[in-house]
């Protein structure tokens, strides 16, 4: 996938099968192609692409937008879900703690989209503290246990309990496996864990 005919590949040689209900964590440095992967899945980008994406065996390019978008839920990178100003608007008197607010937000989103089976969170919790992030991830595992969830995160702890982790690099999948497999492999993911403040 390219963002323009004259531009370089934002994604290339992606070959990937995700199982129903799987929780996938996606990491990689800035510009690696994480958001692009989410965008092609939602057909937000479909020019300058080749290859195919199948959902339940059906090519998404054959879906009408009305057919498949309702099955997918995306919280995009730009929507800092509960940053200061949104929080202030939802709870101007500061009556609720952040946990209650996140729980309501997630449940709301679910009620709105019960038929959605694939959820993508693109840095949804980038601006919350570690404790809140952990609580949100726990909620997602519980509330979305039947859904396939792709979580893009800079913070390694956010995705450490995923079923599998994808490490993106320069538009390709550099590594994929369970957290344990990737740590044992001592490659890019293990390096990321070593060089971050992970666990501090
Ligand atoms: N709208 C766009 N037009 C042109 N190039 C783009 C556009 N969006 C992204 N790119 C380029 O595509 C590549 C992948 O970007 P992408 O946003 O997928 O990275 P990312 O892994 O999500 O990065 P980040 O961690 O900063 O969010 C980068 O080289 C980026 O500059
Ligand atoms: Mg991104």
């Amino acid at each position: 996938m390219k963002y323009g005919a004259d531009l370089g590949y934002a994604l290339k040689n992606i070959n990937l099968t995700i199982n129903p209900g799987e929780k996938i964590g996606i990491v990689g440095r800035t510009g690696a192609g994480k958001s692009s992967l989410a965008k092609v899945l939602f057909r937000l980008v479909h020019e300058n692409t080749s290859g195919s994406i199948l959902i339940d065996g059906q090519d998404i390019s054959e879906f009408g937008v009305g057919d498949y978008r309702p099955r997918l839920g995306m919280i995009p990178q730009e929507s800092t879900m509960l940053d200061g100003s949104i929080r202030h608007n939802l709870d101007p008197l500061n009556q609720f703690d952040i946990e209650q607010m996140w729980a309501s937000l997630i449940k709301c989103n679910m009620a709105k989209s019960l038929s959605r089976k694939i959820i993508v969170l693109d840095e949804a919790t980038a601006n919350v503290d570690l404790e809140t992030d952990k609580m949100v991830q726990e909620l997602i595992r519980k509330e979305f246990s039947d859904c396939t969830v792709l979580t893009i995160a800079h913070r390694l702890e956010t995705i450490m309990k995923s079923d599998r982790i994808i490490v993106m690099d320069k538009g390709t999948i550099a590594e994929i496996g369970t957290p344990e497999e990737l740590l044992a492999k001592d490659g890019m993911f293990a390096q990321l864990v070593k060089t971050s403040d992970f666990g501090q």
Side-chain angles (χ1 to χ4, degrees):
M1 184 276 272
K2 298 175 173 185
Y3 282 97
D6 306 336
L7 299 176
Y9 286 101
L11 294 174
K12 54 184 184 254
N13 299 328
I14 304 284
N15 186 6
L16 168 69
T17 303
I18 295 173
N19 302 311
E22 234 186 333
K23 307 292 177 280
I24 302 278
I26 305 177
V27 293
R29 61 184 67 120
T30 277
K34 305 180 295 297
S35 296
S36 301
L37 196 60
K39 285 181 198 163
V40 293
L41 182 59
F42 285 79
R43 279 182 65 74
L44 296 174
V45 184
H46 52 83
E47 290 171 349
N48 302 302
T49 60
S50 64
S52 54
I53 298 174
L54 310 182
I55 297 181
D56 296 335
Q58 218 182 332
D59 194 317
I60 65 168
S61 67
E62 289 161 13
F63 288 177
V65 167
D67 291 334
Y68 84 90
R69 248 179 225 160
R71 294 206 222 167
L72 282 73
M74 163 119 105
I75 298 178
Q77 185 163 10
E78 292 74 25
S79 79
T80 46
M81 265 181 39
L82 274 183
D83 72 6
S85 64
I86 296 174
R87 196 201 153 125
H88 182 71
N89 281 317
L90 287 174
D91 181 23
L93 300 177
N94 225 351
Q95 288 170 302
F96 303 99
D97 63 33
I98 194 92
E99 284 201 19
Q100 286 174 294
M101 293 181 68
W102 270 102
S104 313
L105 230 127
I106 289 170
K107 281 173 184 155
C108 244
N109 203 36
M110 284 192 55
K112 203 174 68 189
S113 58
L114 274 179
S115 59
R116 284 184 193 171
K117 287 289 177 208
I118 304 173
I119 316 274
V120 179
L121 300 147
D122 192 349
E123 310 260 6
T125 54
N127 298 312
V128 304
D129 64 42
L130 194 56
E131 278 310 303
T132 309
D133 193 358
K134 277 187 186 156
M135 185 276 303
V136 172
Q137 301 312 322
E138 196 53 49
L139 261 174
I140 289 170
R141 274 192 293 277
K142 211 167 82 194
E143 303 278 349
F144 293 114
S145 59
D146 294 343
C147 297
T148 308
V149 184
L150 278 63
T151 304
I152 299 171
H154 268 116
R155 199 186 264 156
L156 290 171
E157 282 186 334
T158 309
I159 49 87
M160 218 51 200
K161 287 189 180 161
S162 307
D163 297 321
R164 283 190 298 162
I165 290 170
I166 294 173
V167 183
M168 296 288 299
D169 186 41
K170 301 188 189 88
T172 67
I173 294 176
E175 292 179 359
I176 180 165
T178 65
E180 296 75 26
E181 283 166 358
L182 295 191
L183 286 173
K185 193 175 165 198
D186 207 18
M188 199 175 259
F189 182 72
Q191 202 56 39
L192 275 174
V193 171
K194 272 182 211 155
T195 55
S196 74
D197 289 336
F198 183 68
Q200 301 298 303

